[in-house]
Amino acid sequence: MYSYCNCLLRINLTTGLITKEELQGEWVKQFIGGKGLGMKYLYEELVPGIDPLGPENRFILMTGPFTGTIVPCSGKLSIVTKSPANGTLLDCSIGGSVAGALKYAGYDAVIIQGKAASPVYLRIENSQVSLESAENLWGKGTRETEFQLRALYGPEAKVLSIGPAGENLVSFACISSELYRQAGRGGVGSVMGSKNLKAVVIKGTGDVKVADLAGLLKLVHHGLHNDLLTDTNLWAYTDGTPMLVELSQTAGILPTKNFQSGNFQEYEGLNSASIQKIRKAKKACLSCGLGCGNFLKSGENEVEGPEYETLSVAGSNCGIGDLKAVMKFNALCDDLGLDTISTGGVIAFAMESTEKGTHDFGLGFGEIDKYLEMPKLIAYRQGLGNELALGVKGISEKYGGKDFAMHTKGLEFPGYEPRGSWAMGLAYATAPRGACHMSAWPVAEEAYGERDPFTIEGKAEFVIGLQHYNAIKFSLILCDFWALSFDLMAEMLSLALGREVSAQQLEKTGEAVFNLARQFNVREGYGRLDDSLPPRIFQDTLPSGATEGRYLPKNQFKEMLNQYYQLRGWDNNGVPTLGKLDELGLG
Amino acid sequence: MEKRIKVELRGPLIRYGPAGSILLSLEGNTTVANVLDLLRIPEDSTSMLVVNGKKVNPLAILEDRDHLVLYPPIAGG
């Protein structure tokens, strides 16, 4: 079984039992790895309706066939679980080098179930696997946790850990690795917290055997020079995601003051030029030729990032144009174990609510001191922080303000205004985990490129294509910053596996992965009514810039959604038809 | 009439010009596409083309003292 270890590690935290299993061969053929294979295990092992924070939930770490090989941009690890934010299927990915370490230790995947009686961490050192007490780590931030574990196991040990937010079951708690990498969304960190699992530490010294090493080396060498290190991808090295600040500002989609505007007057303080003035180094994940990470230092502040999502949703969206403040916010969230997108989103909601008089949370746009107090209060659920920990959906249901509660399916909006990118609106509405920019990212062509952003024409087909593309990329698992073709993916996979896989097969697998996620959500009771956007998007026009006067008319959105369901082979309620499921091998 | 155009290149596109902004003196009806040709930048190496803070298409005609910013394609998000 080339490119796989054919070994899954299963940890039952309730009983302490640790077992090793062969991978389900048919599932591997059908879903490949990463997101797809992780979702298949979750779908088969969970019954509907279980509590995401209960012992029945699974916490799945999944690598892919390229993990640990010479294939570039293959350093990410998939994490799959049932979402504490909303009960949907949740898949996240985390960069760094932890995925490679797991494969080098001899495992394709880890499935963690049950709940430990007291705080533990999972130690994986090649064939030696054990649960160790984490009593002395509980309550510590992710930085201190990682430093202590590296001191114990050596600097080469790779760590996944949660901070106080995960321990306190905040529904937007994240997981950190290598200090600055996060699996951010949907409260994946609180699943670890609910299981009393503080960290996973991994050391691996093995290797990964591909079928045709010489062929793969030749293809990768060619791909590196002609497909990866090109004008199309090197923005990630020269600038990284902060480049999007200026692009979004120009396109009128930079979320500003809780999505009240798509233009932020102080955007220059957050743009790539400002980042580069204090950049000390570039950083990359294992096997990456791009190195998108920007390591910044200014005074006492040091952080890798902030990425665009933080600069926008936790910057302009909170009325903050001071880069040092956003850096500090970013570092606080990383250490406390909070997703910067959802944290920024819920603070921005509270700011608008206060400004409008809907409810006085004592927070105003641009108030840096109060803004910087919030992460700690949220992570420890103290005072106002305990209310903000409800997330945008929960807090708007409790205190009012649903018209400007910027979430879909209970997941807070990322940094792209859908009134200036209608396909992005459809992508948010139909992404399995809620408002998500990783399921499909039409912004590049629509808001930044030449495709008309203000029409529904052709958008359903466009979004579907992107969803399948990302579904297969994250199953292989490759970084989304490499804009490679299905053909190149198929060529590399064929050489790695030693059997022919076509680009068409991969496209079909992408479709199957996306439909499997839908099946999971349908089983949990999700349907058409949930595939929507906040009232603001349908009602309020944007005030200025390239999107001035724009909104997304609700009837146009409904028509776009109808077309989407029809093209997908789903019924009017968004449920995949039996014919479609049979066609995809999901029946 | 001579038109003075300020051009800024973003990201990897800086390899097509000198560091900092480029000042061009052009005659007649010059388009953004003409500037790309002049700087030998392939059109598919660009995404958003911006003149004076507004997104334009490659056939937009440049006026005296226009400020043109050229961006590379972006993937992911």
Side-chain angles (χ1 to χ4, degrees):
Chain A
M1 199 177 191
Y2 290 111
S3 300
Y4 296 92
C5 308
N6 196 21
C7 188
L8 180 153
L9 196 56
R10 189 178 294 274
I11 314 293
N12 187 323
L13 292 171
T14 306
T15 61
L17 193 65
I18 296 170
T19 51
K20 294 172 186 173
E21 305 168 10
E22 287 188 357
L23 291 174
Q24 294 278 356
E26 284 307 309
W27 297 356
V28 174
K29 272 190 192 157
Q30 195 178 0
F31 297 103
I32 299 176
K35 170 188 179 120
L37 189 55
M39 279 167 38
K40 179 64 176 171
Y41 273 97
L42 191 78
Y43 184 82
E44 296 296 339
E45 295 196 10
L46 291 192
V47 293
I50 62 122
D51 177 3
L53 297 178
E56 303 87 356
N57 198 7
R58 300 294 196 264
F59 177 73
I60 302 177
L61 309 178
M62 186 64 74
T63 66
F66 294 151
T67 309
T69 72
I70 52 169
V71 172
C73 302
S74 61
K76 283 189 162 185
L77 177 73
S78 269
I79 303 179
V80 182
T81 190
K82 183 175 178 180
S83 171
N86 54 19
T88 62
L89 185 140
L90 174 62
D91 77 283
C92 296
S93 64
I94 190 163
S97 49
V98 66
L102 184 60
K103 202 94 171 271
Y104 297 147
Y107 310 100
D108 300 295
V110 184
I111 297 183
I112 300 171
Q113 58 201 74
K115 178 180 180 178
S118 58
V120 295
Y121 67 88
L122 173 64
R123 163 194 157 257
I124 302 171
E125 289 188 85
N126 294 324
S127 61
Q128 303 298 307
V129 182
S130 60
L131 290 167
E132 306 289 341
S133 170
E135 297 281 9
N136 64 336
L137 295 172
W138 204 252
K140 295 198 182 328
T142 60
R143 287 176 72 87
E144 182 60 26
T145 300
E146 184 146 349
F147 285 137
Q148 284 203 19
L149 288 171
R150 280 201 229 159
L152 204 56
Y153 293 100
E156 71 278 23
K158 306 302 173 193
V159 177
L160 294 170
S161 71
I162 58 167
E167 296 171 11
N168 294 318
L169 310 182
V170 174
S171 65
F172 44 95
C174 71
I175 296 171
S176 274
S177 187
E178 294 175 51
L179 308 182
Y180 304 110
R181 298 281 171 174
Q182 281 77 34
R185 308 237 60 202
V188 70
S190 64
V191 177
M192 282 180 71
S194 73
K195 295 185 176 305
N196 267 334
L197 179 66
K198 177 69 178 176
V200 180
V201 56
I202 308 173
K203 279 171 79 173
T205 54
D207 55 17
V208 180
K209 192 174 280 187
V210 299
D212 183 349
L213 181 58
L216 190 60
L217 261 173
K218 194 175 167 191
L219 181 62
V220 162
H221 184 262
H222 183 266
L224 263 174
H225 291 280
N226 299 290
D227 202 273
L228 180 66
L229 304 177
T230 65
D231 289 343
T232 306
N233 303 299
L234 277 173
W235 65 275
Y237 175 72
T238 58
D239 295 71
T241 59
M243 178 177 272
L244 308 189
V245 170
E246 214 170 73
L247 285 160
S248 290
Q249 170 76 5
T250 307
I253 63 161
L254 184 67
T256 300
K257 298 188 177 177
N258 197 38
F259 287 83
Q260 292 185 79
S261 172
N263 279 90
F264 184 50
Q265 273 195 327
E266 299 166 54
Y267 80 96
E268 284 176 318
L270 303 173
N271 71 8
S272 187
S274 297
I275 296 275
Q276 292 190 39
K277 281 180 196 158
I278 54 171
R279 186 165 78 189
K280 300 299 174 199
K282 292 294 294 181
K283 290 190 75 181
C285 297
L286 178 73
S287 84
C288 178
L290 290 176
C292 68
N294 294 307
F295 185 77
L296 311 186
K297 190 166 171 59
S298 174
E300 289 180 357
N301 289 326
E302 62 173 46
V303 72
E304 187 186 337
E307 298 293 345
Y308 170 76
E309 302 302 332
T310 309
L311 293 164
S312 58
V313 186
S316 54
N317 203 39
C318 295
I320 309 284
D322 181 329
L323 178 57
K324 288 176 189 168
V326 181
M327 279 173 68
K328 196 165 185 180
F329 182 89
N330 195 155
L332 281 168
C333 287
D334 287 356
D335 191 44
L336 293 160
L338 286 167
D339 171 26
T340 56
I341 298 178
S342 289
T343 309
V346 74
I347 291 172
F349 172 85
M351 287 170 165
E352 183 172 354
S353 194
T354 303
E355 187 182 68
K356 280 194 155 58
T358 309
H359 182 83
D360 186 1
F361 291 100
L363 283 169
F365 288 112
E367 292 179 356
I368 290 175
D369 289 346
K370 287 183 183 168
Y371 158 81
L372 290 175
E373 285 171 13
M374 291 307 115
K376 192 172 175 188
L377 293 179
I378 294 170
Y380 287 97
R381 291 180 171 275
Q382 292 169 340
L384 173 57
N386 197 38
E387 304 305 308
L388 299 181
L390 293 167
V392 166
K393 181 171 184 280
I395 203 168
S396 66
E397 285 170 353
K398 185 170 177 182
Y399 292 101
K402 286 185 186 175
D403 281 356
F404 54 89
M406 306 309 289
H407 72 88
T408 290
K409 298 187 182 78
L411 191 70
E412 290 76 13
F413 266 36
Y416 313 93
E417 167 56 69
R419 284 168 287 185
S421 177
W422 289 10
M424 193 74 243
L426 181 63
Y428 285 164
T430 56
R433 68 184 187 182
C436 162
H437 64 293
M438 300 295 283
S439 172
W441 196 63
V443 168
E445 278 185 51
E446 211 185 22
Y448 306 157
E450 290 191 36
R451 195 184 275 266
D452 183 355
F454 309 115
T455 175
I456 63 168
E457 200 176 328
K459 295 298 170 64
E461 189 179 7
F462 175 42
V463 169
I464 288 169
L466 292 173
Q467 287 172 334
H468 295 173
Y469 178 70
N470 276 5
I472 192 62
K473 239 176 162 180
F474 300 155
S475 297
L476 281 169
I477 167 180
L478 292 167
C479 177
D480 51 330
F481 292 161
W482 185 9
L484 81 171
S485 66
F486 279 106
D487 284 331
L488 183 52
M489 288 188 239
E491 279 182 73
M492 290 195 297
L493 188 60
S494 299
L495 293 166
L497 298 182
R499 61 179 167 83
E500 275 305 303
V501 180
S502 69
Q504 291 72 26
Q505 280 175 288
L506 289 187
E507 282 193 68
K508 213 62 192 168
T509 301
E511 186 178 3
V513 170
F514 198 87
N515 276 268
L516 179 61
R518 187 70 180 188
Q519 268 186 301
F520 184 99
N521 287 351
V522 166
R523 198 171 70 171
E524 296 292 338
Y526 278 91
R528 183 182 185 112
L529 288 177
D530 305 295
D531 292 346
S532 193
L533 296 167
R536 162 159 287 163
I537 302 302
F538 303 131
Q539 294 167 4
D540 299 352
T541 55
L542 287 162
S544 58
T547 47
E548 183 177 350
R550 297 291 183 175
Y551 70 113
L552 173 49
K554 195 162 189 179
N555 62 342
Q556 295 271 289
F557 173 78
K558 281 183 175 171
E559 179 54 30
M560 187 161 57
L561 193 61
N562 285 339
Q563 291 172 9
Y564 177 91
Y565 286 171
Q566 201 169 13
L567 284 169
R568 278 220 166 277
W570 294 357
D571 69 16
N572 286 337
N573 193 34
V575 178
T577 58
L578 291 177
K580 176 52 74 176
L581 294 177
D582 280 344
E583 175 195 320
L584 297 171
L586 300 172
Chain B
M1 178 196 155
E2 186 183 78
K3 293 174 180 173
R4 286 155 296 178
I5 312 294
K6 181 177 164 187
V7 184
E8 286 185 45
L9 306 176
R10 293 285 190 261
L13 299 183
I14 54 174
R15 72 191 179 95
Y16 294 99
S21 55
I22 304 163
L23 294 173
L24 298 176
S25 292
L26 305 167
E27 297 286 341
N29 282 339
T30 303
T31 63
V32 172
N34 294 146
V35 172
L36 293 181
D37 285 343
L38 195 66
L39 297 173
R40 298 170 189 262
I41 302 175
E43 198 174 317
D44 61 7
S45 288
T46 64
S47 62
M48 194 189 269
L49 313 168
V50 178
V51 174
N52 305 330
K54 288 187 176 162
K55 185 172 145 184
V56 298
N57 69 47
L59 299 179
I61 293 173
L62 294 163
E63 302 297 339
D64 189 30
R65 296 179 186 277
D66 271 353
H67 180 192
L68 171 64
V69 185
L70 305 175
Y71 293 89
I74 308 283

